[in-house]
Amino acid sequence: MSEQALAQAAVAAPPRRRAAVPAGVMAAILWLGFMVSVALLADVIRPYGITAMDLRARLQPPVGFGGDWMHPLGTDELGRDVFSRLVESIRMSLLIAFGATIIAAVFGTTMGFLAAHFRGWVEQAVLMLIDFQASMPFLILALSVLAFFGNSLPLFICLMGLYGWERHARISRGLAIAANAQGYAAAVRQLGATPMRIYLKHVLPNIASTLIVAATLSFPEVVLLESGLSFLGLGVQPPMTSLGNMVGYGREYLTRAPWILLSPSVVIVLTTLSVSILGDWLRDRLDPTLT
Amino acid sequence: MLRFVATRLGRALLTITLVVTFAFIVLRLSGDPALIIMSPDAPPEALVAFRQAWGLDEPIWLQYFKYFTAILQGELGQSFRDGRPAIELVAERIPATLTLTLPALALKVGLGIPAGIYAALHRNSMTDRVVMTFAVAGFTVPSFVLGLLLVLVFAVQLGWLPSGGQDVWRNVILPVIAMGLGGAGVLARFTRSAMLEVLGQPYIRTASAKGVPWGLVVRGHALPNAAIPTVTVVGFMVGSLMAGAVVVESVFSWPGVGRLMVVAVANRDLAVVQCVLLLVSATMVTSNLIVDLLYGVLDPRLRGSAPAGGGH
Amino acid sequence: MSLLSLDGVSRVYSTRRGLFGRPMPVRAVDHISFSVAPGRTLGIVGESGCGKSTTGRVALGIERPSDGGVLFNGVPMPPPGTPAWRKMRARLQLVNQDPLGAMDRRLTVAAQVEEPLEIHGIGDRSERRDRVAALLRDVGLRADLAQRHPHELSGGQRQRAVLARALATDPALLVADEPVSALDVSIQAQVINMLTDLQEARGIAMLFISHDLKVVRQVSHEVAVMYLGRIVEQGDPEAIFADPLHPYSRALVSAIPVPGPRRIERVVLTGDPPNPADRPSGCAFHPRCPVAVAACAATVPDLREAADGRLVACHLVDAA
């Protein structure tokens, strides 16, 4: 081979493989896209207000089971349109889940970076907090806080935001320490970069994919947690409505009007399923070492 | 070995201390503990006595100390609703909760682990896919939805099983399934990936190549090594024996600790909340401690300290 | 005036065996003094664990000495991590053994070579771009490699990229810690030649740390041999290689494979390799020294000037 060809061969970048997206993952992405658009367009889609009562049309079944298109998913005991409430609930639950996941990711990553950067007693304190959080069932902690502080939406979102931060903290601390010890972070520090620059411009982009996968693991768990608490009447309070809330209210009419709780239940299951599938796929693609 | 046990014990105690501290902080932040813990119409002398016992007029660190000793002595306050000591209320409900959570744990372990092992050994087969689909369904369906669905199908439509009450053993079936299936799914997934990871290790291939029968390879090498991370997850489940029932007990109106907690939170009956919190954390910490010690038994790498460094 | 000077520098690490073990001080560097003149190269050679990497880090100011001081351009080295220290990085740079680990795998080579210029605010965008192109030319990297990522380059190319980055701010001193040890022998020669060319062209001083005597010999104007944290011999490379005075240098030099008949008889060292956590008394080398006497176990020999101007730390070598 001529020298030029050799040189060119040596320099050519390795070809990138294009993996196909499996059907299940595609379906998951579509469902999630659908959910997000519903949440964003809630005000436009919703035919009725969530508290609009129509006492003449109470407990009407959905279309196909004896009802009509006025109320495609039926009505509840106060004549409120289930479809409208469902749309609004989707928005609320997704809002809480996204908000909480982002809070947990930001808080957790920051704590992890602080621990990795300062080491010493700061690290020990953070590790202790992580251990504490990881060893307590979050539901009980959440219930305690709700008992002591009462319930308002911002407080509730912050409380949900405390779920799963320890996962992000563990990951970011581990990866930051590894980066600091030998690799590019130490080299860039040697160039004279400030710590802020090192973490934001170098470490964070490199660990972003792992953090995203961790976030997809916590997201469905937050949805389940929030709906569980709302179901118990301790989460989202009326007049606001969330998916768990609706299931809670529908419970009394389980026998007479099961559609009230079935539609939010189906949405909960499909949404958590979709995020789980997506998360698994992302993990396989990006970072198989994450459990 | 002693050092190993001592550090684990130390960590357990530290965690409990942290939980008590957490409760203390949250309690102090939310108002006057005397008015909160004692019921609103407690006699003034009781309030004064309480304040004294908890040292509420004294510097904060002294309060913390007194709080701690009060907890250790079981002085956790009285419930709003019926004026009885919180500890009594909680303690008398423990058996009811255990009636649900212990069988549920058995279900999780008995169904989940074998399913996961089987799926791992027959990877990518139809059975594997089916098992995994059920497993995923198991943990994406929240327990309350599952519980309500079970009631709808089995109690209402089919009338096979009762939907409420707790006298007959048949009452236990639906709640236990509602609680156990989700955990079985989680455990199946976890066991499967732990097994797959172990099965992919070189020493498994070596053992098989040496001619050791596959069944023996699995039983002697794969399972014990996969057991280690699985034990952690099971330990966590054992630790949440108390907590896991919260939602399900509410669905089935089961008079256990979980339901008590929910009602207490709704009524802001903080003495009871505090008591349940401490009970749950004690259970969790104990379970984690046992798991840690089990690790020492299961994983020889963790036993004892490292041998001395410099050569002789 | 010397560019870099270390005076009586020691670096002691405190380690502990397990959570409850006794703290044991490990003296990685013990009272080292040397200086590097502008545009000249000091080679530090020794086996693993002798403290040469630590010396390099202390010289750069990455670690603080437990004893003694470091002066750069006559100014004491600021503590690591301070703004003054960061500013000084433009004048001092480090190249070490693992070029892949030293680079961010997500950024292109060009972006990384440009980074020191960004950090120290040198030039505007187009000036920086030009400077990066010039640097890549100087280190012999083709321009089209600039847009590649580190893992898409060969080992030698990566090390050149790291070097380009180190030279971006036109430093006065370059500390090279085993820069070619991970490269193929043929590439080693290329990189070494490039280093010496760059030194001539830019007048950079170098602290060249390696365990490979042949390489050190080629690039250094002066060589220091280290053993267990101390300099045992220091002086002109050719003199040391032709006629090593210290018994340890003798053993090292005799181990260099040479074609044809040996000039120096092969000395094989007996005894255990050195452990900085468990220093022998007196001269650190005496347990393995073939010509040790009683005094060697008793007192630590000073680094004294020998007949031809070299510095040697051995009781058995006559002072000048």
Side-chain angles (χ1 to χ4, degrees), chain C residues 29-305:
Chain C
V29 176
D30 190 16
H31 285 97
I32 294 247
S33 306
F34 62 78
S35 54
V36 183
R40 312 275 289 165
T41 302
L42 172 67
I44 299 192
V45 86
E47 48 189 270
S48 309
C50 72
K52 51 191 198 304
S53 286
T54 312
T55 307
R57 286 204 295 274
V58 172
L60 279 172
I62 298 177
E63 295 188 22
R64 309 195 61 176
S66 320
D67 245 338
V70 179
L71 289 179
F72 183 74
N73 247 338
V75 173
M77 178 71 69
T82 54
W85 180 85
R86 284 202 288 268
K87 260 193 82 180
M88 210 183 234
R89 298 303 98 196
R91 316 286 301 133
L92 300 162
Q93 269 303 309
L94 170 70
V95 175
N96 65 15
Q97 183 171 352
D98 181 13
L100 188 58
M103 300 192 91
D104 189 336
R105 67 187 311 273
R106 295 184 61 257
L107 300 174
T108 60
V109 167
Q112 301 198 53
V113 172
E114 191 181 340
E115 185 150 15
L117 300 172
E118 265 179 42
I119 293 176
H120 294 277
I122 300 177
D124 60 32
R125 283 228 72 179
S126 58
E127 281 171 18
R128 291 206 284 261
R129 207 82 57 86
D130 295 335
R131 199 140 162 183
V132 168
L135 282 164
L136 291 176
R137 262 198 314 270
D138 284 346
V139 300
L141 275 180
R142 292 195 340 261
D144 65 316
L145 294 180
Q147 294 312 316
R148 296 221 178 283
H149 295 270
H151 56 276
E152 293 167 345
L153 301 178
S154 71
Q157 288 167 334
R158 266 178 239 145
Q159 194 64 299
R160 290 171 198 263
V162 171
L163 199 52
R165 181 174 71 174
L167 295 173
T169 54
D170 219 1
L173 173 70
L174 186 67
V175 174
D177 189 355
E178 308 273 14
V180 294
S181 307
L183 303 174
D184 296 334
V185 178
S186 51
I187 309 290
Q188 278 186 17
Q190 287 177 23
V191 174
I192 293 293
N193 286 333
M194 180 183 60
L195 278 174
T196 40
D197 289 343
L198 284 167
Q199 179 175 51
E200 252 189 65
R202 293 170 172 243
I204 307 177
M206 262 211 294
L207 190 62
F208 194 94
I209 301 172
S210 178
H211 64 274
D212 189 341
L213 292 145
K214 308 185 298 305
V215 165
V216 171
R217 177 183 195 166
Q218 209 181 330
V219 296
S220 314
H221 298 105
E222 195 184 351
V223 166
V225 179
M226 276 187 74
Y227 187 80
L228 224 56
R230 307 198 107 225
I231 296 183
V232 295
E233 189 165 351
Q234 185 174 346
D236 179 73
E238 289 313 310
I240 294 186
F241 282 91
D243 182 25
L245 290 177
H246 192 279
Y248 178 64
S249 330
R250 216 171 172 84
L252 274 187
V253 171
S254 76
I256 301 178
V258 287
R262 291 201 142 270
R263 272 225 293 149
I264 305 177
E265 228 188 75
R266 182 75 198 271
V267 178
V268 177
L269 294 176
T270 54
D272 294 326
N275 179 5
D278 194 11
R279 306 180 73 86
S281 59
C283 171
F285 187 58
H286 84 259
R288 304 169 79 191
C289 183
V291 297
V293 298
C296 299
T299 40
V300 181
D302 294 323
L303 199 61
R304 291 173 304 201
E305 209 172 302

Side-chain angles (χ1 to χ4, degrees), chain A residues 115-202:
Chain A
H117 185 70
F118 290 106
R119 309 307 297 264
W121 68 266
V122 172
E123 186 181 24
Q124 290 307 314
V126 172
L127 283 178
M128 221 164 51
L129 283 176
I130 291 178
D131 269 344
F132 169 67
Q133 177 91 9
S135 59
M136 286 292 298
F138 190 76
L139 190 58
I140 301 290
L141 281 180
L143 284 174
S144 313
V145 172
L146 286 173
F148 285 112
F149 288 111
N151 198 330
S152 66
L153 193 59
L155 172 73
F156 188 65
I157 296 186
C158 287
L159 181 61
M160 293 295 103
L162 282 184
Y163 179 80
W165 75 266
E166 83 274 10
R167 205 178 264 155
H168 290 97
R170 273 207 184 115
I171 294 173
S172 62
R173 170 184 165 267
L175 291 176
I177 289 182
N180 276 335
Q182 267 310 312
Y184 53 89
V188 176
R189 185 181 318 122
Q190 227 295 114
L191 290 175
T194 55
M196 196 65 119
R197 188 191 172 98
I198 298 176
Y199 283 111
L200 289 180
K201 191 163 190 269
H202 289 274

Side-chain angles (χ1 to χ4, degrees), chain A residues 4-175:
Chain A
Q4 269 169 333
L6 256 178
Q8 275 185 340
V11 175
R16 312 193 107 231
R17 289 174 301 141
R18 271 312 202 99
V21 175
V25 180
M26 209 62 231
I29 295 178
L30 285 175
W31 173 261
L32 287 173
F34 177 49
M35 285 295 105
V36 171
S37 8
V38 165
L40 289 174
L41 299 172
D43 292 321
V44 175
I45 301 178
R46 195 161 33 100
Y48 302 89
I50 60 172
T51 48
M53 296 189 285
D54 184 4
L55 294 172
R56 290 165 301 153
R58 294 161 60 185
L59 295 180
Q60 284 210 341
V63 159
F65 291 89
D68 55 57
W69 281 101
M70 284 274 294
H71 300 282
L73 286 178
T75 59
D76 66 8
E77 75 280 14
L78 293 176
R80 296 177 294 194
D81 179 35
V82 171
F83 177 68
S84 305
R85 287 177 66 84
L86 185 67
V87 163
E88 190 63 31
S89 302
I90 291 177
R91 162 191 275 189
M92 178 62 78
S93 293
L94 281 185
L95 175 72
I96 295 180
F98 269 116
T101 307
I102 292 177
I103 293 178
V106 170
F107 180 61
T109 307
T110 312
M111 293 294 272
F113 279 170
L114 286 176
H117 185 70
F118 290 106
R119 309 307 297 264
W121 68 266
V122 172
E123 186 181 24
Q124 290 307 314
V126 172
L127 283 178
M128 221 164 51
L129 283 176
I130 291 178
D131 269 344
F132 169 67
Q133 177 91 9
S135 59
M136 286 292 298
F138 190 76
L139 190 58
I140 301 290
L141 281 180
L143 284 174
S144 313
V145 172
L146 286 173
F148 285 112
F149 288 111
N151 198 330
S152 66
L153 193 59
L155 172 73
F156 188 65
I157 296 186
C158 287
L159 181 61
M160 293 295 103
L162 282 184
Y163 179 80
W165 75 266
E166 83 274 10
R167 205 178 264 155
H168 290 97
R170 273 207 184 115
I171 294 173
S172 62
R173 170 184 165 267
L175 291 176

Side-chain angles (χ1 to χ4, degrees), chain B residues 10-311:
Chain B
R11 281 209 349 217
L13 288 174
L14 187 63
T15 311
I16 294 232
T17 314
L18 275 180
V19 173
V20 174
T21 313
F22 169 76
F24 177 74
I25 292 176
V26 169
L27 188 59
R28 296 300 283 122
L29 280 179
S30 56
D32 180 2
L35 287 175
I36 293 176
I37 296 279
M38 310 288 282
S39 66
D41 39 65
E45 316 87 63
L47 285 177
V48 168
F50 184 83
R51 284 219 173 84
Q52 253 190 335
W54 283 35
L56 288 179
D57 304 319
E58 296 173 28
I60 198 92
W61 56 269
L62 198 57
Q63 284 187 39
Y64 177 61
F65 177 68
K66 291 203 169 175
Y67 178 79
F68 214 102
T69 40
I71 299 264
L72 286 177
Q73 290 166 345
E75 173 58 60
L76 284 154
Q78 294 173 334
S79 158
F80 270 160
R81 304 210 313 155
D82 52 13
R84 287 198 293 150
I87 273 202
E88 249 180 59
L89 275 175
V90 172
E92 71 187 9
R93 294 203 165 204
I94 293 181
T97 299
L98 286 180
T99 319
L100 290 187
T101 51
L102 283 177
L105 181 68
L107 179 66
K108 289 177 193 175
V109 171
L111 185 60
I113 294 187
I117 296 178
Y118 189 84
L121 289 176
H122 297 86
R123 188 185 184 172
N124 284 332
S125 70
M126 185 49 86
T127 329
D128 177 23
R129 288 189 210 277
V130 165
V131 167
M132 278 303 109
T133 311
F134 271 112
V136 167
F139 74 79
T140 49
V141 177
S143 49
F144 61 92
V145 167
L146 185 58
L148 290 171
L149 279 178
L150 286 172
V151 169
L152 187 60
V153 170
F154 288 98
V156 176
Q157 304 284 27
L158 297 178
W160 287 354
L161 294 165
S163 62
Q166 41 153 180
D167 310 316
V168 193
W169 64 268
R170 260 182 287 151
N171 286 303
V172 173
I173 296 184
L174 287 182
V176 166
I177 296 182
M179 261 176 56
L181 269 192
V186 168
L187 210 44
R189 247 165 78 103
F190 196 83
T191 313
R192 177 179 178 275
S193 57
M195 276 294 281
L196 282 179
E197 191 171 324
V198 168
L199 287 174
Q201 297 282 336
Y203 59 84
I204 296 285
R205 272 206 302 276
T206 313
S208 180
K210 280 196 296 181
V212 179
W214 183 240
L216 212 57
V217 172
V218 168
R219 246 179 296 138
H221 291 284
L223 283 182
N225 280 295
I228 295 168
T230 312
V231 161
T232 319
V233 178
V234 174
F236 195 81
M237 287 180 175
V238 170
S240 8
L241 272 181
M242 288 295 149
V246 170
V247 172
V248 170
E249 282 182 15
S250 293
V251 171
F252 290 90
S253 304
W254 192 266
V257 173
R259 185 119 181 284
L260 179 67
M261 178 66 158
V262 171
V263 169
V265 171
N267 293 326
R268 300 198 68 181
D269 193 352
L270 295 176
V272 174
V273 169
Q274 183 180 258
C275 192
V276 174
L277 176 66
L278 291 170
L279 173 67
V280 168
S281 60
T283 320
M284 185 57 100
V285 165
T286 315
S287 160
N288 279 343
L289 183 63
I290 295 180
V291 166
D292 273 346
L293 294 177
L294 259 176
Y295 259 22
V297 167
L298 284 176
D299 189 351
R301 293 175 294 183
L302 293 175
R303 245 182 267 154
S305 50

